[in-house]
Amino acid sequence: MTHMTMISQKLLLLGILLVLIIPIGTNFYAQGAPPQVETHNPTGLSATAVSPTQINLFWSAPTQNYGKIIVGYKIEQQISYGVFDTVVYNSGSTLTAYSMTGLKTGVAYTYRVSAVYSDDTSTDPSNVAAAIPSSTSVQSPNPPVSSPSTNVQFDFVPSDGTALSGVIFSQSDYLALQYKKDPRSIMLDAVPTSYPANNNLDNLLSYQNNHLSDDAVPAPLIAKPASPTQINLSWLPPIEQYGQKLGGYRIEIKNTLGDYQVIDENTGNGTTKYSISGLTPETTYTYRVSAVYPGTHSNPSNEASATTLEFVAPPVKQNQTTAPPQTSSGTIPSNTVSPVVNNVKFDLTAPDGSLLSGVILTQNDYQQLVIIKDPRTILTNVGQTTSTINNALSSIVRYQTLHTVQESVPTQSTTTPVENSSQPPTEPSKPQPVDSALVNGVITSVVASGVVGITTWFVKTKVARKIAKEYHFTLEHVYSTTVSQIRIRNSGETIEDCIIICDKDPCVWIDTNLDKSRHIYEGSVSSVTVPKEFENQNPMISVKSGKKVLRKMMLDDMAHG
């Protein structure tokens, strides 16, 4: 009995100890477990040199995206301390790895990445990572992967244009392919996938070697639909040009009879992109391109086909069909809130390939631009913004005119020209109208004062013409490898005694290293340096002609050239 009592006491004591110890141990385990940290931008960026000319980047995706969808990553390269230049605007893939190729051996490269969302916004950048390609840099046999559980699906297009769609690789094979493929083979639409690999590196390289085109033709040509009425073409320039100067590219379309019709005899520039507008929705078109040289042209590229998208009528907004509420007296209530009017921000690629980024117009000006622009002018990255407008419709039209490829034979237009009173005069020889009140005053002065009046007439007429003079120019904020610059493109009449002021300091012209005023002639492009004390700031920029201020704008509100 006593023995049983002792056992019962020991069991009771053991139970009490367990009751005390278990909560303590559980609490210790909970405190020791690392909490899940939310990240709002890419983290853990690393850079590894894998060849004398290539660096592979790896990073982790943000874990908190606020309900948005990541569609790719922006990659930036440091060009000076604290200054980064975008080298990849959107990788077009959610794969958290990227290969930077074509680098210089022995040069240090520093990068950072940002996630790009479907609404065209991006996160803050990641940490920076640097690497130096060297002659001893080699591809690791087992390179790190961005996700151990996903493969990569992509389309592979060798230089003869025979696309292989839906290829699925392991991530290590995908990264190795970027290094080992032919320079003119292209990988498109890469996305992570949980499906098993359906190909391997050796097989794909063998396929590529059987589908290489002649080095003297542009290749591969790729066609992509951009809208129900537009198709965009892109290609790589020929490797072998036999010492000739490339003058542009000839664009041809395949007609229903099977032969080709020239739609642009010579683009007149080396840009390897071309946009065809005014097409029929849900229709397949086939194209090819040839390199143009003095007096001759290369053999054509591969054929590339694309089908325009289906036309979908935009939904009718409720406030467009419903009248605003009215009181019994028929008046609109004073507490009715007017809709916020946003401007439109976009990038403009002129027909000769010149890019003007970050243009901001009013919605009315943008809608008119869509109607009157050259069919080969491309408007991309279009979105609404509350930022201040930094350009005018007339300036953009003049900019487009100066960067339009001049064709030897004018083509007949099948559409009725749209009249637009906001377009600037295109004939500089026409005299500018003089204010009628000024003319009356001048005539009165002539009659009343004789010779003095005649002199006054000439003076006032000259002044009136100068006042009536229209200036059309754009301002761009650009970065060189060392300094921040402002570029002025003058597409209108000459700006006499022009000077650009940063806050209160005159900027220095890059080509003369002087801050003196100068004439900016029509069609010219001039640049000034932003004073170093204003780096990483947003000063007020003023453009003056003599003592007259032509435009004032904050530096960050300028387009990015």
mmCIF file of all heavy atoms in Angstrom, residues 447-490:
data_model
loop_
_atom_site.group_PDB
_atom_site.id
_atom_site.type_symbol
_atom_site.label_atom_id
_atom_site.label_comp_id
_atom_site.label_asym_id
_atom_site.label_seq_id
_atom_site.Cartn_x
_atom_site.Cartn_y
_atom_site.Cartn_z
ATOM 1 N N VAL A 447 0.816 108.374 -90.442
ATOM 2 C CA VAL A 447 0.124 109.571 -90.921
ATOM 3 C C VAL A 447 0.459 110.774 -90.044
ATOM 4 O O VAL A 447 0.647 111.898 -90.514
ATOM 5 C CB VAL A 447 -1.392 109.316 -90.963
ATOM 6 C CG1 VAL A 447 -2.148 110.594 -91.304
ATOM 7 C CG2 VAL A 447 -1.706 108.224 -91.962
ATOM 8 N N ALA A 448 0.508 110.559 -88.733
ATOM 9 C CA ALA A 448 0.673 111.670 -87.806
ATOM 10 C C ALA A 448 2.100 112.163 -87.706
ATOM 11 O O ALA A 448 2.338 113.334 -87.470
ATOM 12 C CB ALA A 448 0.172 111.268 -86.412
ATOM 13 N N SER A 449 3.057 111.287 -87.891
ATOM 14 C CA SER A 449 4.436 111.659 -87.562
ATOM 15 C C SER A 449 5.388 111.628 -88.732
ATOM 16 O O SER A 449 6.590 111.794 -88.531
ATOM 17 C CB SER A 449 4.957 110.728 -86.457
ATOM 18 O OG SER A 449 4.089 110.773 -85.342
ATOM 19 N N GLY A 450 4.945 111.340 -89.942
ATOM 20 C CA GLY A 450 5.810 111.405 -91.104
ATOM 21 C C GLY A 450 6.944 110.402 -91.024
ATOM 22 O O GLY A 450 6.723 109.207 -90.841
ATOM 23 N N VAL A 451 8.157 110.920 -91.175
ATOM 24 C CA VAL A 451 9.337 110.050 -91.186
ATOM 25 C C VAL A 451 9.470 109.288 -89.882
ATOM 26 O O VAL A 451 9.799 108.107 -89.856
ATOM 27 C CB VAL A 451 10.608 110.880 -91.451
ATOM 28 C CG1 VAL A 451 11.850 110.004 -91.356
ATOM 29 C CG2 VAL A 451 10.533 111.539 -92.807
ATOM 30 N N VAL A 452 9.215 109.978 -88.755
ATOM 31 C CA VAL A 452 9.293 109.302 -87.459
ATOM 32 C C VAL A 452 8.284 108.169 -87.394
ATOM 33 O O VAL A 452 8.562 107.078 -86.903
ATOM 34 C CB VAL A 452 9.051 110.309 -86.318
ATOM 35 C CG1 VAL A 452 9.047 109.590 -84.968
ATOM 36 C CG2 VAL A 452 10.111 111.387 -86.339
ATOM 37 N N GLY A 453 7.106 108.426 -87.969
ATOM 38 C CA GLY A 453 6.088 107.386 -87.979
ATOM 39 C C GLY A 453 6.491 106.203 -88.826
ATOM 40 O O GLY A 453 6.192 105.057 -88.493
ATOM 41 N N ILE A 454 7.148 106.473 -89.974
ATOM 42 C CA ILE A 454 7.604 105.366 -90.830
ATOM 43 C C ILE A 454 8.609 104.502 -90.087
ATOM 44 O O ILE A 454 8.556 103.264 -90.112
ATOM 45 C CB ILE A 454 8.214 105.920 -92.129
ATOM 46 C CG1 ILE A 454 7.122 106.607 -92.963
ATOM 47 C CG2 ILE A 454 8.881 104.816 -92.928
ATOM 48 C CD1 ILE A 454 7.638 107.288 -94.207
ATOM 49 N N THR A 455 9.556 105.167 -89.397
ATOM 50 C CA THR A 455 10.536 104.419 -88.614
ATOM 51 C C THR A 455 9.839 103.578 -87.553
ATOM 52 O O THR A 455 10.167 102.398 -87.345
ATOM 53 C CB THR A 455 11.526 105.386 -87.945
ATOM 54 O OG1 THR A 455 12.131 106.192 -88.944
ATOM 55 C CG2 THR A 455 12.586 104.632 -87.163
ATOM 56 N N THR A 456 8.857 104.183 -86.881
ATOM 57 C CA THR A 456 8.100 103.449 -85.863
ATOM 58 C C THR A 456 7.382 102.267 -86.479
ATOM 59 O O THR A 456 7.307 101.184 -85.892
ATOM 60 C CB THR A 456 7.080 104.386 -85.197
ATOM 61 O OG1 THR A 456 7.765 105.515 -84.673
ATOM 62 C CG2 THR A 456 6.335 103.665 -84.074
ATOM 63 N N TRP A 457 6.865 102.452 -87.700
ATOM 64 C CA TRP A 457 6.163 101.355 -88.376
ATOM 65 C C TRP A 457 7.081 100.155 -88.592
ATOM 66 O O TRP A 457 6.718 99.019 -88.311
ATOM 67 C CB TRP A 457 5.634 101.867 -89.715
ATOM 68 C CG TRP A 457 4.789 100.832 -90.457
ATOM 69 C CD1 TRP A 457 3.484 100.588 -90.273
ATOM 70 C CD2 TRP A 457 5.256 99.946 -91.460
ATOM 71 N NE1 TRP A 457 3.068 99.589 -91.107
ATOM 72 C CE2 TRP A 457 4.141 99.178 -91.853
ATOM 73 C CE3 TRP A 457 6.492 99.731 -92.074
ATOM 74 C CZ2 TRP A 457 4.231 98.194 -92.826
ATOM 75 C CZ3 TRP A 457 6.590 98.755 -93.051
ATOM 76 C CH2 TRP A 457 5.465 97.988 -93.414
ATOM 77 N N PHE A 458 8.295 100.428 -89.102
ATOM 78 C CA PHE A 458 9.234 99.328 -89.328
ATOM 79 C C PHE A 458 9.601 98.634 -88.015
ATOM 80 O O PHE A 458 9.642 97.411 -87.928
ATOM 81 C CB PHE A 458 10.505 99.843 -90.020
ATOM 82 C CG PHE A 458 10.357 100.000 -91.496
ATOM 83 C CD1 PHE A 458 10.310 101.251 -92.085
ATOM 84 C CD2 PHE A 458 10.249 98.890 -92.313
ATOM 85 C CE1 PHE A 458 10.162 101.397 -93.451
ATOM 86 C CE2 PHE A 458 10.109 99.031 -93.695
ATOM 87 C CZ PHE A 458 10.064 100.291 -94.269
ATOM 88 N N VAL A 459 9.863 99.434 -86.983
ATOM 89 C CA VAL A 459 10.256 98.854 -85.705
ATOM 90 C C VAL A 459 9.150 97.998 -85.134
ATOM 91 O O VAL A 459 9.356 96.861 -84.716
ATOM 92 C CB VAL A 459 10.659 99.970 -84.709
ATOM 93 C CG1 VAL A 459 10.858 99.397 -83.318
ATOM 94 C CG2 VAL A 459 11.906 100.676 -85.196
ATOM 95 N N LYS A 460 7.936 98.558 -85.139
ATOM 96 C CA LYS A 460 6.834 97.816 -84.545
ATOM 97 C C LYS A 460 6.492 96.556 -85.341
ATOM 98 O O LYS A 460 6.093 95.552 -84.788
ATOM 99 C CB LYS A 460 5.612 98.716 -84.406
ATOM 100 C CG LYS A 460 5.742 99.746 -83.299
ATOM 101 C CD LYS A 460 4.414 100.407 -83.014
ATOM 102 C CE LYS A 460 4.520 101.338 -81.803
ATOM 103 N NZ LYS A 460 3.227 101.953 -81.464
ATOM 104 N N THR A 461 6.606 96.668 -86.670
ATOM 105 C CA THR A 461 6.327 95.491 -87.491
ATOM 106 C C THR A 461 7.304 94.370 -87.177
ATOM 107 O O THR A 461 6.935 93.206 -87.033
ATOM 108 C CB THR A 461 6.383 95.846 -88.984
ATOM 109 O OG1 THR A 461 5.439 96.870 -89.247
ATOM 110 C CG2 THR A 461 6.068 94.622 -89.834
ATOM 111 N N LYS A 462 8.577 94.717 -87.030
ATOM 112 C CA LYS A 462 9.591 93.716 -86.705
ATOM 113 C C LYS A 462 9.324 93.094 -85.348
ATOM 114 O O LYS A 462 9.400 91.887 -85.158
ATOM 115 C CB LYS A 462 10.973 94.359 -86.742
ATOM 116 C CG LYS A 462 12.105 93.370 -86.488
ATOM 117 C CD LYS A 462 13.455 94.035 -86.612
ATOM 118 C CE LYS A 462 14.573 93.031 -86.375
ATOM 119 N NZ LYS A 462 15.918 93.654 -86.477
ATOM 120 N N VAL A 463 8.968 93.958 -84.382
ATOM 121 C CA VAL A 463 8.674 93.447 -83.044
ATOM 122 C C VAL A 463 7.435 92.562 -83.071
ATOM 123 O O VAL A 463 7.384 91.505 -82.446
ATOM 124 C CB VAL A 463 8.488 94.615 -82.059
ATOM 125 C CG1 VAL A 463 7.980 94.117 -80.714
ATOM 126 C CG2 VAL A 463 9.791 95.379 -81.893
ATOM 127 N N ALA A 464 6.416 93.010 -83.826
ATOM 128 C CA ALA A 464 5.182 92.235 -83.884
ATOM 129 C C ALA A 464 5.424 90.856 -84.475
ATOM 130 O O ALA A 464 4.890 89.858 -84.006
ATOM 131 C CB ALA A 464 4.131 92.990 -84.708
ATOM 132 N N ARG A 465 6.253 90.805 -85.525
ATOM 133 C CA ARG A 465 6.544 89.508 -86.125
ATOM 134 C C ARG A 465 7.303 88.615 -85.161
ATOM 135 O O ARG A 465 7.109 87.404 -85.109
ATOM 136 C CB ARG A 465 7.344 89.705 -87.418
ATOM 137 C CG ARG A 465 6.494 90.261 -88.557
ATOM 138 C CD ARG A 465 7.315 90.477 -89.804
ATOM 139 N NE ARG A 465 6.470 90.959 -90.897
ATOM 140 C CZ ARG A 465 6.954 91.336 -92.076
ATOM 141 N NH1 ARG A 465 8.260 91.320 -92.304
ATOM 142 N NH2 ARG A 465 6.133 91.753 -93.013
ATOM 143 N N LYS A 466 8.197 89.227 -84.390
ATOM 144 C CA LYS A 466 8.951 88.423 -83.425
ATOM 145 C C LYS A 466 8.034 87.882 -82.337
ATOM 146 O O LYS A 466 8.154 86.747 -81.901
ATOM 147 C CB LYS A 466 10.070 89.256 -82.800
ATOM 148 C CG LYS A 466 10.985 88.445 -81.897
ATOM 149 C CD LYS A 466 12.182 89.244 -81.441
ATOM 150 C CE LYS A 466 13.109 88.379 -80.604
ATOM 151 N NZ LYS A 466 14.305 89.123 -80.150
ATOM 152 N N ILE A 467 7.063 88.747 -81.897
ATOM 153 C CA ILE A 467 6.128 88.294 -80.885
ATOM 154 C C ILE A 467 5.237 87.186 -81.432
ATOM 155 O O ILE A 467 4.909 86.224 -80.745
ATOM 156 C CB ILE A 467 5.267 89.484 -80.394
ATOM 157 C CG1 ILE A 467 6.157 90.475 -79.637
ATOM 158 C CG2 ILE A 467 4.120 89.016 -79.509
ATOM 159 C CD1 ILE A 467 5.437 91.744 -79.231
ATOM 160 N N ALA A 468 4.830 87.316 -82.715
ATOM 161 C CA ALA A 468 3.944 86.322 -83.319
ATOM 162 C C ALA A 468 4.662 85.035 -83.680
ATOM 163 O O ALA A 468 4.027 84.056 -84.026
ATOM 164 C CB ALA A 468 3.301 86.915 -84.580
ATOM 165 N N LYS A 469 5.963 85.010 -83.581
ATOM 166 C CA LYS A 469 6.744 83.840 -83.964
ATOM 167 C C LYS A 469 6.383 82.650 -83.075
ATOM 168 O O LYS A 469 6.256 82.783 -81.863
ATOM 169 C CB LYS A 469 8.232 84.165 -83.829
ATOM 170 C CG LYS A 469 9.164 83.069 -84.323
ATOM 171 C CD LYS A 469 10.599 83.558 -84.281
ATOM 172 C CE LYS A 469 11.547 82.509 -84.787
ATOM 173 N NZ LYS A 469 12.944 82.985 -84.768
ATOM 174 N N GLU A 470 6.200 81.488 -83.683
ATOM 175 C CA GLU A 470 5.839 80.287 -82.939
ATOM 176 C C GLU A 470 7.065 79.406 -82.768
ATOM 177 O O GLU A 470 7.778 79.125 -83.723
ATOM 178 C CB GLU A 470 4.734 79.513 -83.667
ATOM 179 C CG GLU A 470 3.414 80.265 -83.716
ATOM 180 C CD GLU A 470 2.305 79.395 -84.264
ATOM 181 O OE1 GLU A 470 2.484 78.165 -84.272
ATOM 182 O OE2 GLU A 470 1.277 79.936 -84.685
ATOM 183 N N TYR A 471 7.298 78.977 -81.529
ATOM 184 C CA TYR A 471 8.424 78.098 -81.231
ATOM 185 C C TYR A 471 7.892 76.688 -80.979
ATOM 186 O O TYR A 471 6.919 76.495 -80.253
ATOM 187 C CB TYR A 471 9.180 78.594 -79.996
ATOM 188 C CG TYR A 471 9.820 79.956 -80.192
ATOM 189 C CD1 TYR A 471 9.192 81.114 -79.737
ATOM 190 C CD2 TYR A 471 11.054 80.083 -80.818
ATOM 191 C CE1 TYR A 471 9.770 82.362 -79.910
ATOM 192 C CE2 TYR A 471 11.646 81.325 -81.002
ATOM 193 C CZ TYR A 471 10.993 82.461 -80.547
ATOM 194 O OH TYR A 471 11.580 83.682 -80.718
ATOM 195 N N HIS A 472 8.551 75.726 -81.567
ATOM 196 C CA HIS A 472 8.180 74.329 -81.393
ATOM 197 C C HIS A 472 9.452 73.555 -81.056
ATOM 198 O O HIS A 472 10.304 73.325 -81.915
ATOM 199 C CB HIS A 472 7.534 73.753 -82.658
ATOM 200 C CG HIS A 472 6.318 74.509 -83.096
ATOM 201 N ND1 HIS A 472 5.089 74.366 -82.484
ATOM 202 C CD2 HIS A 472 6.141 75.444 -84.072
ATOM 203 C CE1 HIS A 472 4.210 75.157 -83.075
ATOM 204 N NE2 HIS A 472 4.825 75.823 -84.029
ATOM 205 N N PHE A 473 9.561 73.176 -79.811
ATOM 206 C CA PHE A 473 10.740 72.413 -79.403
ATOM 207 C C PHE A 473 10.366 71.487 -78.253
ATOM 208 O O PHE A 473 9.356 71.684 -77.572
ATOM 209 C CB PHE A 473 11.888 73.344 -78.980
ATOM 210 C CG PHE A 473 11.575 74.245 -77.820
ATOM 211 C CD1 PHE A 473 11.799 73.842 -76.518
ATOM 212 C CD2 PHE A 473 11.037 75.509 -78.035
ATOM 213 C CE1 PHE A 473 11.501 74.658 -75.451
ATOM 214 C CE2 PHE A 473 10.742 76.345 -76.970
ATOM 215 C CZ PHE A 473 10.972 75.914 -75.666
ATOM 216 N N THR A 474 11.163 70.450 -78.074
ATOM 217 C CA THR A 474 10.964 69.520 -76.970
ATOM 218 C C THR A 474 12.190 69.519 -76.081
ATOM 219 O O THR A 474 13.310 69.769 -76.537
ATOM 220 C CB THR A 474 10.721 68.081 -77.474
ATOM 221 O OG1 THR A 474 11.867 67.643 -78.222
ATOM 222 C CG2 THR A 474 9.506 68.008 -78.355
ATOM 223 N N LEU A 475 11.967 69.270 -74.802
ATOM 224 C CA LEU A 475 13.042 69.171 -73.819
ATOM 225 C C LEU A 475 13.091 67.744 -73.306
ATOM 226 O O LEU A 475 12.063 67.154 -72.972
ATOM 227 C CB LEU A 475 12.801 70.138 -72.655
ATOM 228 C CG LEU A 475 12.898 71.632 -72.977
ATOM 229 C CD1 LEU A 475 12.491 72.451 -71.767
ATOM 230 C CD2 LEU A 475 14.311 72.000 -73.416
ATOM 231 N N GLU A 476 14.297 67.189 -73.245
ATOM 232 C CA GLU A 476 14.473 65.815 -72.781
ATOM 233 C C GLU A 476 15.530 65.788 -71.684
ATOM 234 O O GLU A 476 16.539 66.485 -71.760
ATOM 235 C CB GLU A 476 14.913 64.899 -73.931
ATOM 236 C CG GLU A 476 13.968 64.929 -75.123
ATOM 237 C CD GLU A 476 14.600 64.283 -76.349
ATOM 238 O OE1 GLU A 476 15.509 63.460 -76.164
ATOM 239 O OE2 GLU A 476 14.206 64.631 -77.470
ATOM 240 N N HIS A 477 15.287 64.977 -70.674
ATOM 241 C CA HIS A 477 16.259 64.777 -69.597
ATOM 242 C C HIS A 477 16.988 63.465 -69.882
ATOM 243 O O HIS A 477 16.375 62.406 -69.920
ATOM 244 C CB HIS A 477 15.540 64.702 -68.245
ATOM 245 C CG HIS A 477 16.475 64.611 -67.078
ATOM 246 N ND1 HIS A 477 16.077 64.188 -65.830
ATOM 247 C CD2 HIS A 477 17.806 64.886 -66.973
ATOM 248 C CE1 HIS A 477 17.106 64.216 -65.011
ATOM 249 N NE2 HIS A 477 18.162 64.627 -65.683
ATOM 250 N N VAL A 478 18.282 63.532 -70.107
ATOM 251 C CA VAL A 478 19.067 62.358 -70.474
ATOM 252 C C VAL A 478 20.257 62.241 -69.540
ATOM 253 O O VAL A 478 20.659 63.192 -68.876
ATOM 254 C CB VAL A 478 19.549 62.419 -71.941
ATOM 255 C CG1 VAL A 478 18.374 62.461 -72.886
ATOM 256 C CG2 VAL A 478 20.437 63.642 -72.167
ATOM 257 N N TYR A 479 20.814 61.025 -69.496
ATOM 258 C CA TYR A 479 21.997 60.775 -68.691
ATOM 259 C C TYR A 479 23.125 60.304 -69.593
ATOM 260 O O TYR A 479 22.929 59.446 -70.467
ATOM 261 C CB TYR A 479 21.738 59.689 -67.636
ATOM 262 C CG TYR A 479 20.851 60.129 -66.512
ATOM 263 C CD1 TYR A 479 19.491 59.828 -66.515
ATOM 264 C CD2 TYR A 479 21.359 60.855 -65.438
ATOM 265 C CE1 TYR A 479 18.667 60.221 -65.477
ATOM 266 C CE2 TYR A 479 20.544 61.255 -64.396
ATOM 267 C CZ TYR A 479 19.206 60.935 -64.418
ATOM 268 O OH TYR A 479 18.397 61.323 -63.394
ATOM 269 N N SER A 480 24.303 60.855 -69.401
ATOM 270 C CA SER A 480 25.498 60.314 -70.042
ATOM 271 C C SER A 480 26.173 59.419 -69.005
ATOM 272 O O SER A 480 25.626 59.135 -67.952
ATOM 273 C CB SER A 480 26.436 61.443 -70.476
ATOM 274 O OG SER A 480 27.011 62.059 -69.346
ATOM 275 N N THR A 481 27.382 59.003 -69.299
ATOM 276 C CA THR A 481 28.098 58.140 -68.364
ATOM 277 C C THR A 481 28.588 58.896 -67.146
ATOM 278 O O THR A 481 28.972 58.277 -66.158
ATOM 279 C CB THR A 481 29.296 57.493 -69.068
ATOM 280 O OG1 THR A 481 30.128 58.539 -69.612
ATOM 281 C CG2 THR A 481 28.845 56.576 -70.184
ATOM 282 N N THR A 482 28.577 60.220 -67.208
ATOM 283 C CA THR A 482 29.142 60.984 -66.098
ATOM 284 C C THR A 482 28.204 62.030 -65.537
ATOM 285 O O THR A 482 28.188 62.262 -64.334
ATOM 286 C CB THR A 482 30.445 61.685 -66.544
ATOM 287 O OG1 THR A 482 30.177 62.501 -67.694
ATOM 288 C CG2 THR A 482 31.510 60.648 -66.883
ATOM 289 N N VAL A 483 27.411 62.688 -66.384
ATOM 290 C CA VAL A 483 26.616 63.813 -65.913
ATOM 291 C C VAL A 483 25.185 63.716 -66.419
ATOM 292 O O VAL A 483 24.874 62.989 -67.356
ATOM 293 C CB VAL A 483 27.225 65.157 -66.378
ATOM 294 C CG1 VAL A 483 28.575 65.385 -65.734
ATOM 295 C CG2 VAL A 483 27.321 65.212 -67.895
ATOM 296 N N SER A 484 24.318 64.489 -65.761
ATOM 297 C CA SER A 484 22.933 64.629 -66.195
ATOM 298 C C SER A 484 22.864 65.756 -67.223
ATOM 299 O O SER A 484 23.516 66.784 -67.069
ATOM 300 C CB SER A 484 22.055 64.938 -64.981
ATOM 301 O OG SER A 484 20.723 65.137 -65.380
ATOM 302 N N GLN A 485 22.058 65.552 -68.273
ATOM 303 C CA GLN A 485 22.004 66.513 -69.365
ATOM 304 C C GLN A 485 20.561 66.881 -69.696
ATOM 305 O O GLN A 485 19.630 66.139 -69.397
ATOM 306 C CB GLN A 485 22.675 65.947 -70.623
ATOM 307 C CG GLN A 485 24.134 65.568 -70.456
ATOM 308 C CD GLN A 485 24.690 64.938 -71.721
ATOM 309 O OE1 GLN A 485 23.993 64.816 -72.728
ATOM 310 N NE2 GLN A 485 25.941 64.531 -71.665
ATOM 311 N N ILE A 486 20.402 68.047 -70.317
ATOM 312 C CA ILE A 486 19.123 68.472 -70.890
ATOM 313 C C ILE A 486 19.336 68.653 -72.383
ATOM 314 O O ILE A 486 20.261 69.347 -72.802
ATOM 315 C CB ILE A 486 18.640 69.789 -70.262
ATOM 316 C CG1 ILE A 486 18.408 69.614 -68.761
ATOM 317 C CG2 ILE A 486 17.361 70.269 -70.952
ATOM 318 C CD1 ILE A 486 18.121 70.914 -68.056
ATOM 319 N N ARG A 487 18.490 68.003 -73.170
ATOM 320 C CA ARG A 487 18.597 68.081 -74.628
ATOM 321 C C ARG A 487 17.414 68.871 -75.171
ATOM 322 O O ARG A 487 16.271 68.615 -74.803
ATOM 323 C CB ARG A 487 18.621 66.679 -75.222
ATOM 324 C CG ARG A 487 18.731 66.632 -76.745
ATOM 325 C CD ARG A 487 18.608 65.208 -77.237
ATOM 326 N NE ARG A 487 19.659 64.365 -76.715
ATOM 327 C CZ ARG A 487 19.532 63.057 -76.534
ATOM 328 N NH1 ARG A 487 18.398 62.461 -76.808
ATOM 329 N NH2 ARG A 487 20.545 62.344 -76.053
ATOM 330 N N ILE A 488 17.672 69.845 -76.045
ATOM 331 C CA ILE A 488 16.610 70.637 -76.668
ATOM 332 C C ILE A 488 16.592 70.315 -78.158
ATOM 333 O O ILE A 488 17.590 70.471 -78.855
ATOM 334 C CB ILE A 488 16.794 72.154 -76.404
ATOM 335 C CG1 ILE A 488 15.683 72.944 -77.118
ATOM 336 C CG2 ILE A 488 18.181 72.648 -76.783
ATOM 337 C CD1 ILE A 488 15.653 74.410 -76.715
ATOM 338 N N ARG A 489 15.440 69.812 -78.626
ATOM 339 C CA ARG A 489 15.237 69.496 -80.045
ATOM 340 C C ARG A 489 14.326 70.575 -80.620
ATOM 341 O O ARG A 489 13.151 70.657 -80.250
ATOM 342 C CB ARG A 489 14.597 68.126 -80.226
ATOM 343 C CG ARG A 489 15.423 66.950 -79.752
ATOM 344 C CD ARG A 489 14.627 65.667 -79.957
ATOM 345 N NE ARG A 489 15.323 64.515 -79.453
ATOM 346 C CZ ARG A 489 16.101 63.708 -80.190
ATOM 347 N NH1 ARG A 489 16.243 63.983 -81.473
ATOM 348 N NH2 ARG A 489 16.702 62.672 -79.667
ATOM 349 N N ASN A 490 14.848 71.379 -81.513
ATOM 350 C CA ASN A 490 14.066 72.470 -82.082
ATOM 351 C C ASN A 490 13.474 72.051 -83.419
ATOM 352 O O ASN A 490 14.187 71.880 -84.406
ATOM 353 C CB ASN A 490 14.939 73.725 -82.268
ATOM 354 C CG ASN A 490 14.109 74.904 -82.744
ATOM 355 O OD1 ASN A 490 12.909 74.946 -82.509
ATOM 356 N ND2 ASN A 490 14.758 75.853 -83.397
#
